[in-house]
Amino acid sequence: MSVTSASSNSLHNKYNPLWREDPRLDWVAKGRSSDEAYCSYCQCYVNLRRQGQEALLAHGDLETHQFIMNYKRDGRIAGRDAPTATKADLTQRAEILWCIQVAAAGYPYHTANISDLFSTMFVDSKIAKNVVVGRSKLKYEINKGLYPYMLKQLAKPIIDQELLYVLHFEESVTEAGRRALDIYVRYWSEVAGRVANILIGSHGIKRYDSEFTYHKCMEALERVNLPLRQLIYVSSHTAERDHLVYRSLNVAVCDSGGLPMIETITFNENVVYGAFAKVLHVLGEWGAEDIAWDLRAWFSTCKEPEAPFTALTEVFGNDELGYCSERVSNSRDTGLKTTYKVNNAMLYRHTLGLCKTFSNVIANWPALVKYFSSYVPNSERGIKKVKRFQRLHAAFTNNVTLLRFTYLRGIGQALDEFLDNSLFIEGPNVHKINSCVSKLIKTISSKFLRSEVRADVVTGLSHVKYEELDQQLPNDMINIGAPAGTIFKEVSALKLGAFYADVRTGYNVLFGYLTTRLPLTDPLVRGARALDPEVRQDKQFATAVHQLVKCLPQLVPHNVISKVLEEWDEYQTADIEAIQPNESVEEFWDRCFKMTRLGTVPKFRYLSRVIQVLLCMYYRETPGDTVLRHIEHRKTNKVAREFVNVNYGGAVSQTVINDSLVEAYTIGWEKYSSHYQQKGVMRQVSDTAADIFGDVTKSGFHGIKQAEYLVSEGVRRIDHGIKNDNILEVNGGLAMIEEARIKMRIVRTKLIHRQHLQDLDENNRLLSIGIYRVKQARDSGNRQGMLEGLKVLHRGLEGTSDIRMDIRPDSSLPHSSFIEIEEDNDRACCN
């Protein structure tokens, strides 16, 4: 059947079930409409509108279709030792392995084109000469083909083995300073013998939003086909539990037939950062945060000072300011705003507050005092009028500043030590949290509470009245650190009294926040302390496990509690080798889970179910996995690396190229091919239209589209500005329309048809009249006149849209021209 006859008879361009009787078309199925057919091998749709049955025969002749059909019919696997593998099979295998290597190693796409290099290196290899992997092709095949396949393969054990899993979402920052919402799924992997942490979604965000987070979590779970009924717990990066996300997910879990999720206190490093921020806020009049920023800005912009002050520039000019408040977006120093933003975004999870700056100030105190009190005033003329110098001079000529920095540095060091010993432990840390929290509370309380009160701090927080003065130490016994002893003698009694009053306020705020927010009395976290292998034989944790089991009805039904406790008693007395110095908690418990009774029955069958979920609840990924390239490539990189590690021991060369992997790769290839096929068709159509009809070139067509957008956006801004009496917005809209008129004048030089030229000139005149009327009414304050001018601009916008439709590249081409161009391009893309 010819193309012309297929186009003339529309009945032949509809799907016909009788086509399946043809042996060449036994793969055909009905598509989404009568104008489409579905290929069961390639899993794609074929358009029948123009060529009908001929389109199906052409698709069946494609090399890609033939390759997939042979694989699915013959069940062949292209491997290193496969004797039946053809050259095309081996070439595709090489391309698949290279795509996996690029994704797993994190190579940038623009450096991953190795076609010319391989053909030069391996001169005698026909496969190396046939490998074609460019930047765009790599991106499509990895992100659109292999990534979804690998993601589903990593999550497959949860579905096949019906494992319980934990959902975690957190906010991360890329190297470019962009914020992203990362969504993880954690479960205990029997194969790997550890907690598997899978990144199933990553989305760019401007600010955290609960509803957006909930919808993205649901989309991510649906993408990997994870059943909601197996979701047991939700953790997050937020300092407080996001009740909207938790409640919505909990309802979805119950509706899907699952049990209510575990509800316990939300605890992460942001809670600790919040404690330090509370202290900085309540002591805001100290200006410690402002001093730190001023020091950073001063030494990073001032000229190099003479000796002995050169070291100050090296210390403070490149100081890494970590956690800070809203100063990131409201910096007074516009020249350093970008630097501040990037530094804060990259480091706020790795350093606690301004402790490093405080320590540097204390270590260089004599030099700073001399520098700002004598050196700078004597070396720079007029410096005394600079506000930043005034602030720094006032700070370093006041001895109380040293006492304040010493106090804040001591708090920061205590919180830093707590994070390093608990939440910053790579892997599961639920077994360390309770003991570290207890130690932190005791450390803080020992600095300002009496000994008889301290004894009741951990055991009974509810009745400790630490705010009362008779419960606190006298001023001379409060521990603020170790400043120079002479400083106390040089500060007046009045200033010392005010300083100690602030110190008491800071300790009260910090202590109250920590005892309220930290999971000190939470039964789940207290019971999880028993998971630490170092306290295995400690009898005091037997009762803690009893309480732990009772607060987990989702994991331990009532009829199983006794069996769990029996296995726990057996664990405490069993002959188990102690944990080694270089052995992780996951490895220790994996050894325990693999212990059997009578050779086949697991010794800790019921206990393992509880412990595996607890190990997944509080978990920290390695720092190298949190800061990678950009959002799209980062998730591919992480998933691919995990896929290779889990399935092939980290060796890409051992990857088994099975049917499903080839199918996933082919889907990416098809999307790449169809995208550039369509792009090539549009390019040829545009060029052909300009050459044959003299209508408009491709650049001219894009120019009128840009002009239409500018006019539309300008009219919208003027309308919004008039309604809100915002003259600045009106001016911005007028400027956009003026820019659109300039683009139209450029487009005019590319038009030949007289009617199009007249339409463009008439439209430009309307826009000019509208701009004039709006300006006249704006200057006279006539709101009604501005609305009249806006009506004229609306007519100009409609005219711009009509012109764009009239001169679009395909408006004058006959139907047959499209068919010829598309046929030629199909052959070019397939070859």
Side-chain angles (χ1 to χ4, degrees), residues 71-82:
Y71 261 78
K72 291 192 173 183
R73 284 182 175 177
D74 305 338
R76 290 184 288 121
I77 297 179
R80 184 175 297 175
D81 302 322

Side-chain angles (χ1 to χ4, degrees), residues 331-612:
S331 176
R332 294 188 298 266
D333 310 293
T334 55
L336 295 173
K337 184 175 180 180
T338 303
T339 306
Y340 284 168
K341 183 174 183 179
V342 174
N343 281 347
N344 183 80
M346 291 296 295
L347 299 174
Y348 81 104
R349 288 187 181 276
H350 300 292
T351 58
L352 177 64
L354 308 169
C355 300
K356 182 176 179 181
T357 304
F358 294 164
S359 301
N360 290 336
V361 169
I362 295 170
N364 297 275
W365 178 259
L368 285 170
V369 172
K370 190 174 182 181
Y371 177 81
F372 285 106
S373 62
S374 59
Y375 174 75
V376 176
N378 296 333
S379 60
E380 297 188 35
R381 187 175 180 181
I383 194 65
K384 294 183 179 180
K385 296 182 180 180
V386 178
K387 291 185 177 180
R388 177 177 290 124
F389 170 76
Q390 293 174 359
R391 293 193 297 268
L392 291 172
H393 182 270
F396 293 107
T397 54
N398 182 6
N399 289 328
V400 179
T401 303
L402 177 59
L403 300 179
R404 292 171 172 175
F405 273 45
T406 304
Y407 166 68
L408 292 173
R409 191 270 306 265
I411 291 178
Q413 286 180 340
L415 297 177
D416 257 335
E417 183 180 353
F418 164 74
L419 286 176
D420 291 338
N421 295 329
S422 58
L423 295 180
F424 284 173
I425 297 177
E426 296 177 8
N429 49 42
V430 66
H431 60 290
K432 291 288 187 182
I433 292 176
N434 186 260
S435 59
C436 291
V437 168
S438 301
K439 183 178 179 181
L440 176 64
I441 295 295
K442 292 177 181 178
T443 302
I444 298 297
S445 62
S446 65
K447 296 178 180 294
F448 78 111
L449 289 179
R450 297 181 184 273
S451 57
E452 58 270 19
V453 180
R454 258 178 264 152
D456 299 330
V457 165
V458 178
T459 56
L461 291 173
S462 57
H463 67 270
V464 175
K465 300 179 181 179
Y466 54 86
E467 301 92 343
E468 299 180 2
L469 288 179
D470 58 349
Q471 305 269 340
Q472 301 179 13
L473 294 171
N475 288 350
D476 56 350
M477 296 182 65
I478 291 181
N479 183 5
I480 65 167
T486 56
I487 296 296
F488 287 101
K489 300 178 182 179
E490 297 174 1
V491 177
S492 64
L494 182 62
K495 290 184 177 180
L496 272 180
F499 167 72
Y500 277 115
D502 290 339
V503 167
R504 292 180 186 277
T505 302
Y507 273 136
N508 280 330
V509 170
L510 177 64
F511 189 74
Y513 183 87
L514 292 179
T515 53
T516 304
R517 297 306 314 280
L518 297 186
L520 191 62
T521 57
D522 186 79
L524 189 146
V525 180
R526 287 175 67 92
R529 173 77 172 91
L531 271 60
D532 192 343
E534 297 178 357
V535 299
R536 181 171 70 93
Q537 297 178 341
D538 196 334
K539 297 300 182 182
Q540 66 173 330
F541 292 106
T543 56
V545 173
H546 283 263
Q547 298 175 358
L548 177 63
V549 170
K550 290 179 181 179
C551 67
L552 294 174
Q554 301 89 339
L555 296 178
V556 188
H558 184 72
N559 58 343
V560 185
I561 293 179
S562 59
K563 297 179 180 179
V564 172
L565 297 178
E566 288 175 4
E567 291 183 355
W568 177 259
D569 294 337
E570 186 177 359
Y571 158 75
Q572 287 190 309
T573 58
D575 185 14
I576 303 175
E577 184 180 356
I579 186 171
Q580 303 300 315
N582 58 347
E583 188 179 23
S584 66
V585 177
E586 294 168 291
E587 294 171 340
F588 171 81
W589 278 109
D590 184 50
R591 284 197 286 115
C592 297
F593 296 154
K594 291 178 179 178
M595 297 177 66
T596 59
R597 185 182 292 109
L598 301 177
T600 57
V601 181
K603 182 174 289 188
F604 306 113
R605 176 184 176 185
Y606 299 99
L607 181 64
S608 61
R609 179 182 175 89
V610 179
I611 296 177
Q612 288 171 1

Side-chain angles (χ1 to χ4, degrees), residues 319-338:
D319 200 2
E320 297 176 349
L321 295 179
Y323 170 85
C324 197
S325 61
E326 296 302 322
R327 188 62 52 78
V328 178
S329 58
N330 300 324
S331 176
R332 294 188 298 266
D333 310 293
T334 55
L336 295 173
K337 184 175 180 180
T338 303

Side-chain angles (χ1 to χ4, degrees), residues 680-730:
V681 169
M682 291 304 297
R683 186 184 300 112
Q684 290 191 32
V685 168
S686 178
D687 295 343
T688 305
D691 295 340
I692 297 177
F693 301 97
D695 194 358
V696 61
T697 63
K698 180 181 178 182
S699 60
F701 177 63
H702 286 305
I704 198 68
K705 286 179 64 178
Q706 294 172 3
E708 180 187 11
Y709 169 76
L710 289 172
V711 174
S712 174
E713 186 66 17
V715 169
R716 187 190 66 80
R717 291 192 179 187
I718 293 173
D719 187 15
H720 191 266
I722 294 174
K723 291 178 180 178
N724 296 280
D725 294 331
N726 190 340
I727 300 299
L728 293 178
E729 194 166 9
V730 173

Side-chain angles (χ1 to χ4, degrees), residues 41 95 112 129 203 207 273 328 364 489 701 703 763 784:
Y41 290 128
E95 292 182 356
K129 293 179 181 179
H203 308 275
R207 62 181 181 84
Y273 296 146
V328 178
N364 297 275
K489 300 178 182 179
F701 177 63
N763 190 69
Q784 186 61 33

